[in-house]
Amino acid sequence: MEYSIAEITEKVLAGYRLKRGDDLQVFLQAPLEELQHGAGVLQKYFCGNHIDFCTIINGRSGRCGEDCKYCAQSACHHTDCEEYGFLPKEEIIANAKANQDAGANRFAIVTSGRALAGEDFERALDVYRTMHSTLHIGLCASHGLLSAKQLHRLHETGVTSYHHNIETSRRFFPQICTTHTYDDRIRTIRLAQKEGLCVCSGGIIGMGETWEDRLDMAISLAELGIQSIPINALMPIPGTPLENRPQLDGKDVLRTIAFFRFINPEANIRLAAGRKLLPENGATALLSGASASITGNMLTTSGTTIAGDMVMLRRLGLTNDESARTCGTNCAAGCHH
């Protein structure tokens, strides 16, 4: 039996959760405006008017031995990516405080490489401990394929959220990376969840995958119980194998965001790279499925300013005040002390 977008919206509001095996083709066939309207209804119901803003700092850049085809930081590619070791503690903390004072909800250190280990990992732990004791911004970490022991040590420092994308569908993953597997990523996610960390996991669209791959990614994230889902639109970077991929149409990004809301109704669907492809720098998306965004600067592609995003929130009648949070609440636990 085929359902309309309006009928699916009502089913989700009533407690039904879309699952693998359901007919999801309606999300690809429905008029975009109709799909966005339904996503907006679900967003309002599950998330209210709250938008979660996170910021990131590139704590260690380049020289990565993995061969992810989209990434400027892979040593397998020839890009103009800046290379440097783990940043000084003072620089990271100053950046976190500035983001906190500007109004961001959380702050993440992201490092290049398969996994952060050794002396650099110890440096990261020291930075997180200091931030936890001196700041009130929520702390997130993104350090690759960590062990259960490493994730536990991170958690002990005050980190409450771990970022680790699945990137795409299981089917398409081998087309974008061969130095580690989709299951390696799933294993890390489950270890982080077992540790009690909120997991932020999403992926990149526009890498040559099909619409069915995008739907599959949305379902896989729902099966994992992910509460924060960043959706990146590929920004082709010269020197990477995907440098000649055509840039996505903003309408395709909006459609993806909308059906991710249907499939993951209680999660924070987060705008990430590629916001400039969207109408009004994402304002339309924040009313039709997206309840969160990365703000400030991306890793290697220019992002947006926190001040500009705060102005946009007020104009849209939205807020990032933690007291208004109803979406992705598992990720909010313990963010502030």
Side-chain angles (χ1 to χ4, degrees), residues 109-124:
I109 305 174
V110 182
T111 51
S112 65
R114 183 182 181 90
L116 195 65
E119 200 171 303
D120 280 354
F121 185 69
E122 298 301 326
R123 287 196 186 101

Side-chain angles (χ1 to χ4, degrees), residues 117-118 121-126 128-129 146-159 195 197:
F121 185 69
E122 298 301 326
R123 287 196 186 101
L125 293 178
D126 180 49
Y128 288 123
R129 285 190 201 96
L146 298 190
S147 67
K149 182 178 180 180
Q150 286 178 302
L151 290 163
H152 178 66
R153 294 187 68 196
L154 274 177
H155 201 183
E156 285 183 323
T157 68
V159 170
E195 173 56 34
L197 292 163

Side-chain angles (χ1 to χ4, degrees), residues 179-197:
T179 48
H180 61 268
T181 67
Y182 183 87
D183 283 322
D184 287 333
R185 290 186 176 246
I186 298 297
R187 187 178 307 112
T188 302
I189 288 169
R190 293 199 183 282
L191 287 174
Q193 290 174 322
K194 186 176 181 180
E195 173 56 34
L197 292 163

